[in-house]
Amino acid sequence: CAMLGQSREGIQGQLLEAIAHPGEVEKLEDRLEDCLAQKNAVFQLELRLRHRDGQPVWVTATLTLVRDEKGKPRHFIFVAQDLTEVRELAEELDFHSRHDRVTGLLNRTEFERQLCRLIESSRQEDREHALFHMDIDQFKLVNETADHATGDDLLRQLALRIQMMLGSSERIARLGGDEFAVLLPDTSSEQAYRVADTLRKAVEGTEFRTAEGAFRVSVSIGLVPIRPDAVSAGDVLKQGDAACYAAKDEGRNRIHVYQADDDLLLDRHGEMRWVNQVVAALEEDRFELHYQTIRCMEDPECLCLEVLLRMVSPEGERISAGLFMPAAERYSVAHRVDRWVIQHVLDWIKANPGTMEGISLFTVNLSGRSLGDKSLLDMLSRRVMEAGIPTEKLCFEITETAVIANLSTASVAIKRLRELGCRFALDDFGIGQSSMAYLKNLPADFLKIDGSFVRDILEDSRDRAMVAEINDLGHITGKQTIAEHVESAEILEVLNLMGVDMAQGYAISRPRPLSELAGSNSFPQAGDQGG
């Protein structure tokens, strides 16, 4: 009676319809008949009873038939245990196992299940479907301008907007971060493009309001036709991801249709192969540290060097970081590489204190992604203090473009490194094409003039003027200058006459394994043809 919210008088003498939820009466009657048909039978079942207010009450019930001495049926004993809370919890857990907690859309796992079913139907029934892979343009600016709660609020509003446009949430997923995906069954690529463009325009024209204010965002969309030759759900998702990134590369807020022979996508697949190789090299510890000396123009006895990274292929080939690090940065693997480099550099410095005594500057590259990696900076701080490393000799290089793209984060990271006593160099300076006004407030010690200006300085007057301008700018803002890619004694002489402070390149020395430097006080000199 308490379970169903009824009194004893109100329930006694009633038909089954008075307590069983509609649709369950027939199930209960079938079990009663089964009991009558068998001797000494006990049956268990789950069914819904009906509360007085009409709500279903899930129970697990045991039916027992009681017979008299002659074996004739006398009555049933019906024992029911309330399972409503357990059932609701199970349904909630099942929902969350298939849906994203922030937006309520499908999660990646459930989306892949549905994608597999569509691929199978395309193969067996020769049907064409379509997939969108969508990414919010510049979403990280929302998180940086406001906070992650505001970002989540924007994601929920955008999810609702997509549902309103498409009329259903059954084929829409949040894949993670600011990435969404949509399945369009029985839709040609031409039809799908029209839908995608309508969706793109709708998002672009919507003002999303949050507690922190109003935001306007746009989306880049990668469109993949799903045809009978589709290999797997994983391949289709990779194609969507590549097409979406191509849309971003083309200027954002646009649609890119996947085609197997697309040059942009072939480049992207090439980057993905590099990323896979980098991850494998990390797992198998197939990296090496090399070094290249840097000459101080006024004091040749002042010995400086830059640590360089090489990836060793399974066949033993040494691969320059310039080939694989751009892909590692794009696909968020670079911070793992940086962590490997920093750990091994600090291990080397700790193991070779005598060699470090003869070195004035020891520079190490950091990627833009690592600027916001608090755990990496924490590790660096802890290791430096534990080992008693002479931090005034340790300099970190970050590219100008990475600093500009993450100016607020970079300033915090640079300040923290300098508080440890470390120094900082702005690498590849001059190619960012950004305002140079920030330089006077950026706590950098060195400007590294990009090698693309230095290499042709003898023949190209514009490059020579650019190097002179960057050199003067560096000195005005209190920074020393380092010219990269110095490949001849003639270039070195011109730089010296300009007043450039330091030079680096094959005219000074070629890179060598850092292991060769251990315990050594001699450094490669100009023209050295080391490996």
Side-chain angles (χ1 to χ4, degrees):
C1 291
M3 190 186 299
L4 302 183
Q6 300 222 39
S7 66
R8 182 184 179 118
E9 294 75 19
I11 205 171
Q12 220 168 5
Q14 296 293 320
L15 297 175
L16 291 177
E17 285 84 347
I19 63 167
H21 196 271
E24 301 282 49
V25 175
E26 186 175 347
K27 182 198 297 185
L28 186 52
E29 288 177 341
D30 287 344
R31 297 290 81 76
L32 292 171
E33 290 180 2
D34 290 339
C35 281
L36 288 169
Q38 300 182 38
K39 289 187 176 181
N40 304 319
V42 177
F43 283 87
Q44 284 191 325
L45 69 158
E46 279 191 13
L47 76 160
R48 290 171 296 168
L49 300 182
R50 183 168 58 183
H51 195 274
R52 185 176 61 183
D53 62 10
Q55 293 299 313
V57 177
W58 278 98
V59 299
T60 178
T62 303
L63 277 175
T64 307
L65 177 62
V66 179
R67 299 176 182 271
D68 62 17
E69 297 83 355
K70 297 180 179 180
K72 292 183 178 181
R74 290 182 56 186
H75 56 262
F76 290 99
I77 296 175
F78 179 87
V79 179
Q81 181 180 1
D82 192 344
L83 289 180
T84 303
E85 288 188 12
V86 174
R87 187 77 181 223
E88 288 175 351
L89 179 60
E91 290 176 352
E92 183 179 353
L93 291 173
D94 177 64
F95 179 87
H96 286 307
S97 72
R98 296 181 292 108
H99 293 79
D100 172 56
R101 289 184 178 273
V102 174
T103 63
L105 299 176
L106 299 180
N107 60 22
R108 189 183 192 99
T109 302
E110 181 61 24
F111 185 81
E112 287 184 5
R113 289 195 194 103
Q114 296 206 19
L115 176 56
C116 286
R117 288 195 284 269
L118 281 188
I119 291 173
E120 191 62 26
S121 74
S122 181
R123 287 180 191 148
Q124 294 183 355
E125 303 168 29
D126 195 25
R127 295 159 61 188
E128 183 174 352
H129 315 296
L131 174 141
F132 298 162
H133 186 291
M134 297 185 295
D135 194 281
I136 304 175
D137 299 324
Q138 304 287 12
F139 179 69
K140 70 175 183 177
L141 293 179
V142 177
N143 286 333
E144 290 180 1
T145 305
D147 52 33
H148 289 283
T150 301
D152 287 349
D153 192 16
L154 191 149
L155 290 173
R156 281 188 285 269
Q157 291 188 50
L158 180 61
L160 183 60
R161 184 66 176 157
I162 296 171
Q163 289 179 65
M164 291 172 61
M165 286 295 304
L166 300 179
S168 170
S169 63
E170 295 180 0
R171 302 284 186 179
I172 310 169
R174 180 186 175 215
L175 300 180
D178 60 341
E179 298 176 57
F180 294 82
V182 176
L183 288 176
L184 296 180
D186 298 309
T187 307
S188 68
S189 58
E190 293 80 10
Q191 293 169 323
Y193 190 94
R194 290 194 291 270
V195 174
D197 198 43
T198 301
L199 182 58
R200 182 192 62 79
K201 291 175 181 175
V203 173
E204 181 187 24
T206 302
E207 187 174 71
F208 297 93
R209 296 189 172 276
T210 70
E212 296 291 329
F215 294 89
R216 284 192 176 275
V217 298
S218 61
V219 292
S220 297
I221 302 176
L223 193 164
V224 183
I226 302 174
R227 299 187 174 111
D229 59 354
V231 177
S232 66
D235 284 335
V236 172
L237 284 171
K238 286 179 182 177
Q239 292 164 3
D241 180 61
C244 183
Y245 266 104
K248 283 185 174 294
D249 287 344
E250 291 168 336
R252 298 188 177 91
N253 191 27
R254 59 192 64 212
I255 303 161
H256 191 99
V257 181
Y258 176 85
Q259 294 177 345
D261 58 351
D262 191 317
D263 289 340
L264 270 174
L265 299 183
L266 289 173
D267 289 343
R268 185 70 59 194
H269 285 309
E271 287 186 335
M272 290 297 294
R273 284 193 292 271
W274 276 125
V275 170
N276 292 335
Q277 290 185 48
V278 169
V279 171
L282 284 167
E283 293 173 350
E284 299 165 14
D285 199 28
R286 285 191 285 101
F287 285 106
E288 287 183 356
L289 296 178
H290 288 228
Y291 75 95
Q292 185 176 36
T293 55
I294 302 171
R295 171 174 290 187
C296 301
M297 297 294 202
E298 291 187 357
D299 183 9
E301 298 301 317
C302 175
L303 298 175
C304 307
L305 62 88
E306 178 183 354
V307 176
L308 304 173
L309 182 66
R310 298 290 183 264
M311 181 169 67
V312 182
S313 72
E315 295 75 31
E317 178 189 4
R318 288 176 174 82
I319 303 167
S320 172
L323 294 175
F324 60 82
M325 281 304 291
E329 290 193 17
R330 183 186 290 273
Y331 288 94
S332 304
V333 181
H335 69 285
R336 293 178 57 188
V337 178
D338 284 351
R339 186 177 291 271
W340 187 97
V341 170
I342 289 172
Q343 287 176 335
H344 285 74
V345 163
L346 296 181
D347 287 343
W348 187 91
I349 293 174
K350 183 179 178 180
N352 296 277
T355 306
M356 280 301 294
E357 288 181 7
I359 298 174
S360 299
L361 193 67
F362 199 84
T363 74
V364 182
N365 290 278
L366 279 182
S367 68
R369 293 279 185 179
S370 294
L371 296 176
D373 189 342
K374 183 177 180 298
S375 65
L376 187 147
L377 295 176
D378 288 343
M379 179 272 289
L380 174 60
S381 301
R382 185 179 65 255
R383 289 287 310 277
V384 164
M385 289 186 288
E386 288 174 354
I389 289 170
T391 54
E392 72 280 359
K393 296 184 177 185
L394 197 56
C395 177
F396 290 95
E397 297 186 16
I398 307 175
T399 65
E400 176 197 7
T401 50
V403 170
I404 296 302
N406 306 272
L407 191 54
S408 59
T409 306
S411 297
V412 173
I414 293 166
K415 181 180 177 183
R416 185 168 177 186
L417 291 173
R418 288 175 65 87
E419 286 172 351
L420 288 173
C422 303
R423 292 195 270 181
F424 166 67
L426 201 56
D427 198 11
D428 298 340
F429 192 83
I431 62 172
Q433 298 180 347
S434 54
S435 170
M436 296 182 183
Y438 70 89
L439 265 181
K440 63 181 179 180
N441 298 317
L442 192 66
D445 301 279
F446 303 95
L447 290 187
K448 297 196 75 172
I449 305 170
D450 187 72
S452 62
F453 302 118
V454 176
R455 190 180 295 112
D456 298 323
I457 196 173
L458 299 177
E459 297 83 18
D460 194 321
S461 59
R462 291 171 300 179
D463 284 347
R464 190 159 56 250
M466 190 69 179
V467 171
E469 182 179 346
I470 295 173
N471 184 58
D472 291 343
L473 180 67
H475 291 162
I476 290 170
T477 56
K479 299 164 179 60
Q480 289 185 279
T481 55
I482 305 172
E484 300 178 301
H485 292 216
V486 180
E487 297 178 354
S488 71
E490 292 78 12
I491 292 176
L492 185 64
E493 180 61 26
V494 171
L495 294 170
N496 193 23
L497 292 173
M498 282 184 177
V500 174
D501 299 298
M502 307 170 81
Q504 178 181 1
Y506 283 3
I508 313 300
S509 72
R510 288 179 177 270
R512 285 189 167 190
L514 189 61
S515 58
E516 294 182 6
L517 189 61
S520 171
N521 288 316
S522 62
F523 290 78
Q525 300 301 311
D528 188 336
Q529 300 300 304

